[in-house]
Amino acid sequence: MSKLTLEQEAGRRRTFAIIAHPDAGKTTLTEHILLSGGAIRAAGAVRARGENRRTQSDWMKIEKERGISVSASVMTFEHDGKMFNLLDTPGHEDFSEDTYRTLTAADCAIMVLDAAKGIEPQTLKLFEVCRLRDIPIITFINKLDREAQDPMALLDEIASRLQLDPAPIWWPAESGNRLRGMVEMGTGRFQPYAKKPAGSKDEVAHPAALPLSEAAEYFEEGEHQAMIDAQELVEAGYPTFDRQSFLEGHMTPVLWGSALRHFGIDELLAAIGEWAPPPKVMPARKEAPPETRNAPAPVELTVQPGSNEVTGFVFKVQANMDPNHRDRIAMFRMASGSFKRGMKLKVQNTGKQLSVNAPIMFFASDRELADDAFAGDVIGIPNHGVLRVGDSLSESGMIRFAGLPNFAPEILQRVRVKDPLKAKHLKKALDGLAEEGVTQLFRPEIGADFIVGAVGQLQFEVMADRLGEEYGLEVIFEHSPYAEARWIDGEKADVEDFMSKYRGQMARDIDQAPVFLAKSSWETGYVMERFPKVAFTKTKERG
C-alpha cells in the first residue's frame, strides 16, 4: 500500500511521448532510455540480430522485419523515485492517427531531431499536434556521433520554424569523428565522449564528467580554448531555461547526444524527471450515459489528478499482442483517483460496467499484473470488444472526456478475401482492426463490398500482414471508385433527403454513422453546394 497521498502519487508520475521523423533514431532512443532507467539490461538496435537483441518497443513481426515502428507502444518503469510512462509513437506519416491519439495521453513530448537533417516534414506535423494540445516539448538532438550541422544553425531553425525559444542545456564539442563531448551550460561540467574502437563489437563506457577547465586532455590543440569561448558565447546569446515558459509552450530545453552510443541519455532522463510536468488537470463533462431516464443536463467540469474518483479514457486498443490468446487490450490513461485491481468501472457512452480483475502494466508487448495505479499511469484492460478508442471510464459512469478524432482517409480501397468461404471471418477481422484504429471501415448501403480507408499505402501493407499473421486470411486490395469520404450531419429530414438521392454512394462506419463516398474532390464540392443544410465533415469524434 502506498503511504503517499493521491496528489503525491500523481506528482511523481511522468507520462511522455517520443515524436520524430522516421529514421531520426526514435526507437533506439527509447531503448536507451529504458536502459538508463534500469528497465532493461541490454538495448537491442532495431536491425540487430538475435532474439535477445530485439528492440523492446517494436514487437510486431512487421516492425522487426522492416525496422520501423507502426504501432504506438507503452513502457512503464520506475527510476529515481519517479514513475515513468513512456509512449513510443510511430514516426511514419501513414500512422499519424495512431500518433495523434497517443499524444492525447501524454503530458510532455520528447522531440528527436537528426543532427544532420534538423527539422523534417513529419517532425513539423507532429509539433503542430503538440501545439494544438499545449504539450510542452523537450528537444533532443540525436546522432552526434555522425557529422552534424552547425549547432547554432539547428537552434536558429527551431526558433524560426517552430516559433519556440531554444534554451541549450548542454553544448556539443564538434560531431562525428571529431566529437569530444559536451559541456553543461551554467555549471561548466564537461561530459567526455569515448569513441568506439574500429572493429569492436563492445560498447565503451564514456569517462566521468569533470569541470571543462580541467578537461584539456580530451581535446586536440586549440580545441579546448575554442570550447571555453563557445560556452561563454552560447550562455550570453541564448536564454537560460525557464520552466514556466517551457510548461506554457514558449520554450524548449535542448539536449544533445547519440542514442546509439548511449551518450547524453542519462542527462535526458534526468531532464524529463526534473522538468516534465506531472499529470495535468483535464477538462471533462459530467453526463449520464445515453438512454438514462430523467437524466440531468450535462455539466462542464475539470478533473483534478488528486481527486478520489477513478477516471480516465481509452486512447488505444491493441488486439493480438499475444496471438495464442486472441487477446484485446484497451490502453487506459488514468486522469484521477487510486485504482485497485478488481475495481468496477463504468463506460460512460454505453453505461456498461466492467470488473477489472486482470489489469496490466505494459512493457512493450511484455506485461505484468497491476495491483494499483494512479493519475498519469497507463494500464491495460483486457476485454472482448466492450471498450473502444475514445471511451471514458469512471466509477460513477458519469464522467466524459473529449473524444479522440477520426480523420477522413486519403485512400479508399475495396478488400476481399481470396477464399470466399472465409468472408464471415473477414468481416470480424476488419471490425477488430477498425476498432483498434489501424484503418477505417465503411460498409456501403448497397452491395456486399467492404471499403477500407487509410492515410497511406503502408497502412494497407500492415493490414494485409496482420490479417494473414493473426487471422489466417489472405486478402486482396482492389481499386475502389471512391476518392473521398465525408461524415454527414444535420437535421434528420435534410440528411434523409440527401441519403435518398445518393443511396448508391452512402456507407456506414464502424459506429453506424452515415458516410458519403465521393468519386472526386470536385463531386464533394458539388454536393456541398447543392445541399447547404447538410454538414460534410473531415473529422469525427470517437467516444
Side-chain angles (χ1 to χ4, degrees):
M1 289 289 291
S2 172
K3 293 177 182 175
L4 302 177
T5 64
L6 288 180
E7 287 89 348
Q8 289 169 331
E9 280 288 4
R12 72 186 194 98
R13 262 63 187 172
R14 298 291 181 271
T15 304
F16 62 98
I18 300 186
I19 60 171
H21 191 85
D23 290 333
K26 178 173 57 62
T27 300
T28 307
L29 177 63
T30 300
E31 292 292 306
H32 283 268
I33 287 176
L34 294 174
L35 186 61
S36 266
I40 56 175
R41 292 199 188 96
V46 179
R47 295 178 183 85
R49 291 179 186 165
E51 282 305 315
N52 62 334
R53 299 281 286 167
R54 296 290 187 205
T55 55
Q56 293 291 325
S57 56
D58 284 348
W59 52 272
M60 280 186 192
K61 177 172 168 274
I62 191 167
E63 291 179 312
K64 292 173 181 176
E65 286 173 354
R66 296 193 183 205
I68 57 168
S69 300
V70 301
S71 174
S73 54
V74 182
M75 282 140 288
T76 297
F77 62 97
E78 196 162 1
H79 174 69
D80 197 24
K82 296 185 177 72
M83 186 68 84
F84 292 83
N85 293 296
L86 187 162
L87 311 174
D88 183 27
T89 63
H92 201 287
E93 63 183 349
D94 286 6
F95 301 95
S96 51
E97 263 196 60
D98 200 16
T99 301
Y100 191 105
R101 284 194 283 266
T102 302
L103 284 171
T104 62
D107 297 312
C108 178
I110 313 303
M111 179 170 68
V112 185
L113 302 181
D114 186 320
K117 296 174 184 173
I119 295 168
E120 296 175 87
Q122 185 63 7
T123 317
L124 207 54
K125 282 185 186 176
L126 295 169
F127 168 75
E128 290 301 334
V129 172
C130 291
R131 174 153 277 173
L132 280 171
R133 303 196 64 83
D134 296 324
I135 297 173
I137 290 173
I138 295 173
T139 301
F140 181 78
I141 299 181
N142 191 23
K143 301 190 179 181
L144 272 188
D145 55 319
R146 302 182 187 178
E147 289 303 320
Q149 287 186 42
D150 175 64
M152 287 190 180
L154 286 165
L155 264 55
D156 289 348
E157 189 180 18
I158 291 169
S160 61
R161 294 187 67 187
L162 303 183
Q163 308 298 304
L164 276 178
D165 294 329
I169 307 301
W170 291 81
W171 196 256
E174 300 298 338
S175 64
N177 288 329
R178 295 169 293 114
L179 179 60
R180 310 295 177 215
M182 56 185 181
V183 65
E184 188 174 31
M185 299 294 104
T187 66
R189 189 162 61 106
F190 181 73
Q191 174 56 61
Y193 173 79
K195 261 193 218 172
K196 191 174 180 178
S200 170
K201 288 183 181 177
D202 298 324
E203 293 294 336
V204 181
H206 303 292
L210 71 169
L212 179 60
S213 57
E214 299 170 17
E217 64 180 291
Y218 295 104
F219 293 88
E220 292 186 4
E221 193 176 342
E223 289 179 345
H224 186 229
Q225 187 56 47
M227 189 61 197
I228 292 170
D229 295 342
Q231 182 197 353
E232 290 176 5
L233 184 66
V234 170
E235 286 179 347
Y238 288 97
T240 51
F241 176 66
D242 179 303
R243 187 167 185 254
Q244 191 56 38
S245 182
F246 157 69
L247 293 176
E248 289 169 1
H250 307 309
M251 176 177 277
T252 179
V254 181
L255 293 94
W256 309 73
S258 163
L260 193 62
R261 293 297 331 282
H262 200 77
F263 183 64
I265 309 301
D266 294 344
E267 292 76 7
L268 174 61
L269 189 56
I272 296 166
E274 193 175 342
W275 300 329
K280 53 182 179 277
V281 175
M282 287 192 178
R285 183 189 289 180
K286 190 170 185 179
E287 184 179 343
E291 299 172 21
T292 303
R293 289 184 181 180
N294 304 319
V299 179
E300 301 294 328
L301 51 81
T302 54
V303 174
Q304 302 284 341
S307 59
N308 288 323
E309 185 181 1
V310 172
T311 67
F313 59 92
V314 175
F315 67 92
K316 182 175 172 61
V317 173
Q318 185 70 58
N320 302 331
M321 286 176 92
D322 181 352
N324 297 326
H325 292 103
R326 281 267 176 266
D327 60 349
R328 187 173 211 77
I329 307 290
M331 295 185 185
F332 174 64
R333 156 68 202 247
M334 280 187 58
S336 66
S338 169
F339 174 85
K340 297 283 183 288
R341 181 147 63 102
M343 247 184 176
K344 289 181 168 59
L345 296 177
K346 288 181 184 172
V347 187
Q348 188 279 329
N349 63 341
T350 62
K352 288 181 181 174
Q353 182 167 284
L354 286 175
S355 287
V356 188
N357 296 316
I360 53 180
M361 280 285 185
F362 291 103
F363 190 69
S365 63
D366 294 336
R367 55 183 75 170
E368 58 183 50
L369 278 177
D371 288 318
D372 54 21
F374 299 88
D377 282 337
V378 175
I379 58 173
I381 301 178
N383 70 100
H384 294 284
V386 176
L387 294 177
R388 310 261 300 267
V389 168
D391 282 350
S392 298
L393 280 80
S394 59
E395 289 177 85
S396 65
M398 298 278 284
I399 304 297
R400 179 185 174 89
F401 295 95
L404 309 188
N406 259 3
F407 300 100
E410 293 176 20
I411 307 171
L412 293 162
Q413 291 193 347
R414 280 195 182 111
V415 58
R416 64 181 178 86
V417 68
K418 283 187 178 178
D419 181 353
L421 297 175
K422 291 186 176 178
K424 196 174 178 182
H425 297 297
L426 176 64
K427 177 183 178 295
K428 193 175 179 184
L430 292 175
D431 276 341
L433 293 178
E435 280 177 13
E436 273 186 56
V438 174
T439 49
Q440 292 185 49
L441 180 63
F442 304 112
R443 291 200 189 95
E445 298 269 296
I446 297 171
D449 285 337
F450 292 106
I451 304 288
V452 175
V455 175
Q457 190 59 43
L458 187 58
Q459 273 181 284
F460 290 110
E461 293 176 33
V462 170
M463 191 177 182
D465 191 86
R466 288 192 59 188
L467 286 170
E469 191 71 21
E470 296 168 20
Y471 297 94
L473 298 172
E474 271 194 88
V475 296
I476 301 166
F477 290 104
E478 297 172 337
H479 179 74
S480 86
Y482 308 116
E484 292 187 346
R486 293 289 181 269
W487 286 278
I488 62 170
D489 198 9
E491 293 292 331
K492 189 177 178 184
D494 296 322
V495 170
E496 285 179 354
D497 176 48
F498 172 76
M499 288 175 65
S500 67
K501 290 182 170 68
Y502 283 88
R503 182 69 59 193
Q505 287 173 252
M506 290 305 302
R508 298 273 174 179
D509 70 3
I510 192 167
D511 299 316
Q512 297 303 306
V515 179
F516 172 63
L517 301 175
K519 292 172 182 170
S520 65
S521 56
W522 176 88
E523 186 180 33
T524 305
Y526 173 72
V527 296
M528 286 171 76
E529 280 182 23
R530 273 195 68 198
F531 296 88
K533 292 182 180 177
V534 178
F536 296 83
T537 57
K538 282 186 171 184
T539 58
K540 191 196 83 164
E541 194 177 278
R542 291 190 70 170

